[in-house]
């Protein structure tokens, strides 16, 4: 009995160190290995190791097939093709393409990644858009039930997904707003497999809500909101269901180059993308939220390389994910920028640039 237990522990210690492709192959080795790899205890052990040691970290990026955009970017009737792929965080080589888990050929968007799970849904969200929580590594999929809480249509819908450590559960937060600024918030619990409508919406949330600028950290959804000329950050704890508001720094007066991210386990605001005192250089202003107050850090100064840069995220290693756009080819070149050393690394990864009216998006996140 003791020998068998030690043998199982040794097997687990070996398997948790393997990359995702190897685990998928071992799913078909025998039933006992498949049951072990798919067990909740093994998944928790592997996730804990990966998170604490930053092991098996990938960049999850959206790009054009074969990294070439062949259609006319000015022709709205030509349907563009996109692919999600995993890239090595060290060599930046493409490791695998992620086709839709249900075999759909329609483009999908990833609305959050946490501990190997991703939340995917439609490119254009509606209140009844189906969503899926997917583990590409072991090819497991959970499709939450369609909510029955909503009976009216909303003009803006946002999804956020992540893990809440205090309640040990994965949460999806769906926020919806009408043209008259009525707000509805729903929370999905992966553990309970059900939606819950949040009844108590604070009156200060009746304002213009920038649904595309948000992040999710430790179970809390953060969004940038605007009240006339003033900006603030709205937070919603998906566990305690409590809303909070943090007034943005006075220096933030418009949405140009403004984004909210997580840097060194702290919520941060980045704003700017404009020239500075150093000739030929540009800078980005940087704030972190400490004890409910904004602390301004030294600005990030970089060489624009004759192209416009923009921040599209911050990696789990606290490096700025920045894009240098090639307007002629319709792609963005992904760079990793170290805030402290100011070093900029070209990855060679070419991102797809998606447009919604005048707004452009590129996607690169840590997986």
């Amino acid at each position: 009995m003791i020998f068998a237990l030690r043998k199982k522990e040794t097997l687990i210690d070996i398997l948790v160190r393997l990359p995702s492709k190897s685990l998928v192959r071992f799913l078909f080795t025998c039933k006992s290995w498949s049951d072990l790899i798919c067990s909740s205890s093994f998944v928790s052990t592997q996730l804990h190791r990966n998170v604490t040691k930053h092991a098996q970290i990938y960049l999850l990026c959206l790009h054009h097939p074969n990294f070439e955009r062949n259609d006319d970017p000015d022709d709205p009737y030509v349907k563009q093709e996109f692919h999600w792929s995993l890239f090595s965080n060290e060599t930046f080589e493409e490791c695998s393409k992620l086709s839709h888990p249900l075999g759909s050929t329609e483009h999908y968007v990833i609305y959050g990644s946490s501990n190997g799970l991703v939340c995917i849904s439609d490119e254009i969200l509606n209140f009844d858009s189906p969503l899926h929580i997917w583990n590409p590594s072991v090819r497991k999929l959970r499709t939450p039930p369609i909510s029955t809480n909503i009976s009216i249509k909303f003009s803006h819908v946002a999804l956020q997904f992540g893990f809440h450590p205090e309640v040990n559960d994965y949460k999806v937060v769906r926020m919806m707003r009408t043209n008259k600024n009525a707000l509805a918030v729903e929370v999905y619990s992966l553990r309970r497999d059900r939606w819950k409508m949040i009844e108590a919406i604070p009156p200060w949330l009746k304002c213009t809500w920038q649904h595309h600028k948000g992040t999710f950290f430790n179970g809390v959804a953060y969004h940038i909101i605007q009240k006339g000329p003033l900006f603030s950050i709205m937070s919603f704890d998906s566990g305690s269901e409590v809303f909070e508001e943090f007034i943005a720094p006075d220096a933030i007066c418009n949405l140009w180059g403004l984004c909210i991210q997580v840097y060194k386990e702290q919520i941060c605001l980045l704003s700017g993308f404009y020239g500075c005192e150093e000739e030929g250089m540009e800078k980005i202003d940087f704030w972190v939220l400490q004890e409910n107050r904004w602390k301004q850090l030294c600005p990030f100064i970089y060489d624009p390389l004759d192209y416009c840069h923009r921040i599209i995220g911050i990696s789990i290693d606290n490096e700025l994910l920045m894009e240098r756009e090639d307007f002629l080819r319709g792609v963005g070149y992904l760079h990793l920028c170290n805030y402290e050393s100011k070093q900029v690394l070209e990855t060679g990864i070419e991102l797809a640039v998606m447009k919604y009216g005048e707004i452009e998006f590129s996607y690169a996140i840590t997986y």
Side-chain angles (χ1 to χ4, degrees), residues 85-194:
S85 291
L86 291 174
F87 294 85
S88 168
N89 195 46
E90 297 177 353
T91 65
F92 309 119
E93 294 180 353
E94 185 181 18
C95 300
S96 62
K97 284 185 170 65
L98 301 184
S99 301
H100 195 288
L102 297 179
S104 172
T105 58
E106 294 296 320
H107 170 57
Y108 64 93
V109 171
I110 294 177
Y111 290 95
S113 171
S114 179
N115 300 335
L117 300 182
V118 295
C119 178
I120 67 175
S121 189
D122 297 338
E123 178 181 356
I124 305 298
L125 289 173
N126 203 340
F127 72 97
D128 57 354
S129 294
L131 62 93
H132 312 281
I133 299 174
W134 178 31
N135 187 330
S137 300
V138 296
R139 301 179 183 178
K140 293 293 182 178
L141 183 73
R142 168 74 68 86
T143 301
I146 296 178
S147 171
T148 59
N149 297 323
I150 305 297
S151 59
I152 63 174
K153 292 185 177 181
F154 289 80
S155 60
H156 297 288
V157 180
L159 280 179
Q160 290 177 294
F161 166 77
F163 181 69
H164 199 308
E166 292 185 7
V167 298
N168 192 30
D169 194 7
Y170 290 89
K171 301 279 190 173
V172 178
V173 177
R174 178 160 55 195
M175 296 189 178
M176 299 155 284
R177 180 173 64 86
T178 68
N179 290 327
K180 296 183 179 180
N181 291 332
L183 180 68
V185 178
E186 278 190 306
V187 177
Y188 170 76
S189 163
L190 181 63
R191 187 175 60 192
R192 298 179 180 179
D193 192 29
R194 66 180 179 87

Side-chain angles (χ1 to χ4, degrees), residues 1-282:
M1 179 70 177
I2 296 177
F3 175 76
L5 181 60
R6 288 179 177 174
K7 183 178 179 181
K8 182 178 179 180
E9 291 175 348
T10 302
L11 178 61
I12 291 175
D13 187 57
I14 294 173
L15 291 177
V16 294
R17 301 171 186 270
L18 297 178
S20 302
K21 284 187 175 181
S22 298
L23 286 178
V24 172
R25 289 201 301 269
F26 287 140
L27 284 173
F28 305 99
T29 301
C30 62
K31 186 177 185 301
S32 61
W33 281 32
S34 177
D35 292 341
L36 174 63
I37 293 172
C38 294
S39 67
S40 58
S41 60
F42 177 83
V43 172
S44 298
T45 301
Q46 185 194 38
L47 293 179
H48 177 73
R49 180 181 184 277
N50 290 347
V51 170
T52 55
K53 297 188 176 182
H54 287 188
Q56 300 179 29
I57 299 300
Y58 299 92
L59 291 171
L60 181 54
C61 304
L62 183 68
H63 61 89
H64 296 288
N66 302 318
F67 304 97
E68 292 289 340
R69 178 174 182 164
N70 298 318
D71 60 275
D72 182 357
D74 296 322
D75 187 348
Y77 299 101
V78 176
K79 185 176 181 180
Q80 300 182 39
E81 293 186 25
F82 303 98
H83 281 306
W84 287 97
S85 291
L86 291 174
F87 294 85
S88 168
N89 195 46
E90 297 177 353
T91 65
F92 309 119
E93 294 180 353
E94 185 181 18
C95 300
S96 62
K97 284 185 170 65
L98 301 184
S99 301
H100 195 288
L102 297 179
S104 172
T105 58
E106 294 296 320
H107 170 57
Y108 64 93
V109 171
I110 294 177
Y111 290 95
S113 171
S114 179
N115 300 335
L117 300 182
V118 295
C119 178
I120 67 175
S121 189
D122 297 338
E123 178 181 356
I124 305 298
L125 289 173
N126 203 340
F127 72 97
D128 57 354
S129 294
L131 62 93
H132 312 281
I133 299 174
W134 178 31
N135 187 330
S137 300
V138 296
R139 301 179 183 178
K140 293 293 182 178
L141 183 73
R142 168 74 68 86
T143 301
I146 296 178
S147 171
T148 59
N149 297 323
I150 305 297
S151 59
I152 63 174
K153 292 185 177 181
F154 289 80
S155 60
H156 297 288
V157 180
L159 280 179
Q160 290 177 294
F161 166 77
F163 181 69
H164 199 308
E166 292 185 7
V167 298
N168 192 30
D169 194 7
Y170 290 89
K171 301 279 190 173
V172 178
V173 177
R174 178 160 55 195
M175 296 189 178
M176 299 155 284
R177 180 173 64 86
T178 68
N179 290 327
K180 296 183 179 180
N181 291 332
L183 180 68
V185 178
E186 278 190 306
V187 177
Y188 170 76
S189 163
L190 181 63
R191 187 175 60 192
R192 298 179 180 179
D193 192 29
R194 66 180 179 87
W195 290 93
K196 179 181 179 181
M197 176 64 72
I198 305 303
E199 301 294 343
I201 304 296
W204 52 264
L205 271 176
K206 293 182 179 180
C207 58
T208 301
W209 170 48
Q210 301 298 327
H211 70 285
H212 58 278
K213 297 181 182 295
T215 192
F216 195 94
F217 177 61
N218 280 347
V220 181
Y222 295 86
H223 280 282
I224 296 173
I225 59 176
Q226 182 177 0
K227 302 175 182 179
L230 302 178
F231 293 88
S232 61
I233 308 303
M234 176 270 292
S235 73
F236 170 73
D237 190 317
S238 60
S240 64
E241 300 175 1
V242 172
F243 292 88
E244 286 190 83
E245 183 180 18
F246 306 96
I247 304 301
D250 293 338
I252 296 178
C253 56
N254 60 65
L255 288 172
W256 171 248
L258 178 63
C259 63
I260 182 169
Q261 297 289 336
V262 178
Y263 179 73
K264 291 188 175 181
E265 304 288 305
Q266 299 174 104
I267 293 299
C268 71
L269 282 175
L270 301 106
S271 174
F273 303 90
Y274 47 82
C276 61
E277 292 79 9
E278 297 184 38
E279 186 177 353
M281 305 294 282
E282 294 188 359

